Amino acid sequence: MVEQRTDGLDANSVWIREGDVRLEGQDCDARLMALRVGLRRHFGVRAVGAAAADEEVERALVALHGAGHLAALAAAGEEPAVMPELAPPGLEPDIPVNAALVAAAREAVRTAISAADRLLEGDRYAYAVCRPPGHHAGPDFIGGYCYLNNAAAAVQALREGGLAPVGVLDLDLHYPNGTSELVERMGGDATLHSLHAAPVTNVAAGTELPRAPRERAHAFAAAPDPTAYLAEVEASLAELAASSAALVVSLGYDTAEGDPHGSWHFGPEVFAGIGRLLAATELPVCVVQEGGYALEALAPCSHAFAAGLLGEDPV
Ligand SMILES: [Zn+2]
């Protein structure tokens, strides 16, 4: 487990717009604490701090995001402000930007890169306990609590370190519109599979999914049965594992029962199942935290996931 640095500032999300409604932000540092509690309960889990150097973080950010995107974020002030120029193509801005959130997003990138570095050092598993999430942040856009793309930064660190091609599996409730664009630009070095809820609202109307040639996008129109869901995870992993040297898993717990942004009902046992399937691939796995906002569900879910991964009894 790689723990994100926090500087004690209030970097909690302020608000998010869903359709025409502005909701109170649900992404907060308390999520990190809950996720760590679930992971720390395993003897096999060792906690390390995010150790990637500033230069490594900078190199990944410049490789992934446009200069205008990075400059706009760097110029953010203390007061939350809407930046329409950073909205995804064809969509309205749905989150504000402020300096504290940008600082937290940079630390989340550092955490994801540090987790990827663990794999390069020879660890089989690393789990970046990071926030804000990143998979809705694209080359030049932000959205859905995401400012910088953590999973893509992990992939970038792996390919730079010679561990490629990378299979990216996104298991958050929402379609990873940002990761999709960034992975597409990596050519043969990375392939994205996503399992998510339909309808997908974070791409421009009329966009066909999958939006890139080698991507797999499996949408569930209604909350899936856990067995059917895990069968799709298994199918994706079989395909990705056949052509990958390592896996990056964008793991969201917003598929869990009670999530304020979700409508599915997964219990912790589904995440134990995901962990077991990842273990069975025998590949190095870098887990990057995406969503999951039901605070009381996070420790049981991260605990069950690690139990499945480590071959322990989840109870
Ligand atoms: Zn999500």
Side-chain angles (χ1 to χ4, degrees), residues 19-203:
D20 293 331
V21 194
R22 189 184 278 196
L23 306 171
E24 190 186 336
Q26 304 288 320
D27 175 41
C28 55
D29 282 339
R31 296 178 60 233
L32 298 178
M33 289 180 251
L35 291 163
R36 290 171 183 173
V37 165
L39 294 172
R40 279 206 201 103
R41 270 194 263 144
H42 297 273
F43 288 116
V45 173
R46 188 166 53 98
V48 298
D54 288 342
E55 305 81 71
E56 201 184 348
V57 174
E58 211 51 50
R59 210 162 58 235
L61 290 178
V62 167
L64 299 172
H65 296 287
H69 180 116
L70 296 175
L73 293 184
E78 269 179 52
E79 287 304 312
V82 176
M83 294 187 175
E85 69 274 23
L86 293 183
L91 297 173
E92 294 291 315
D94 69 346
I95 49 170
V97 183
N98 69 24
L101 277 162
V102 173
R106 290 183 66 96
E107 290 310 315
V109 167
R110 188 194 309 279
T111 309
I113 292 173
S114 302
D117 285 345
R118 298 310 312 163
L119 264 52
L120 295 173
E121 299 277 324
D123 286 356
R124 165 111 200 260
Y125 303 128
Y127 191 136
V129 182
C130 54
R131 73 152 288 262
H135 69 159
H136 301 309
D140 298 295
F141 58 83
I142 66 173
Y145 296 134
C146 305
Y147 300 89
L148 299 167
N149 197 304
N150 309 319
V155 177
Q156 180 65 17
L158 290 174
R159 66 201 285 242
E160 226 181 73
L163 196 54
V166 180
V168 183
L169 179 60
D170 190 302
L171 299 177
D172 186 274
L173 181 74
H174 303 97
Y175 176 72
N177 55 322
T179 308
S180 172
E181 293 211 10
L182 290 164
V183 162
E184 185 183 10
R185 292 173 175 211
M186 293 178 183
D189 274 0
T191 304
L192 170 67
H193 284 201
S194 170
L195 277 63
H196 50 263
V200 170
T201 54
N202 57 22
V203 291

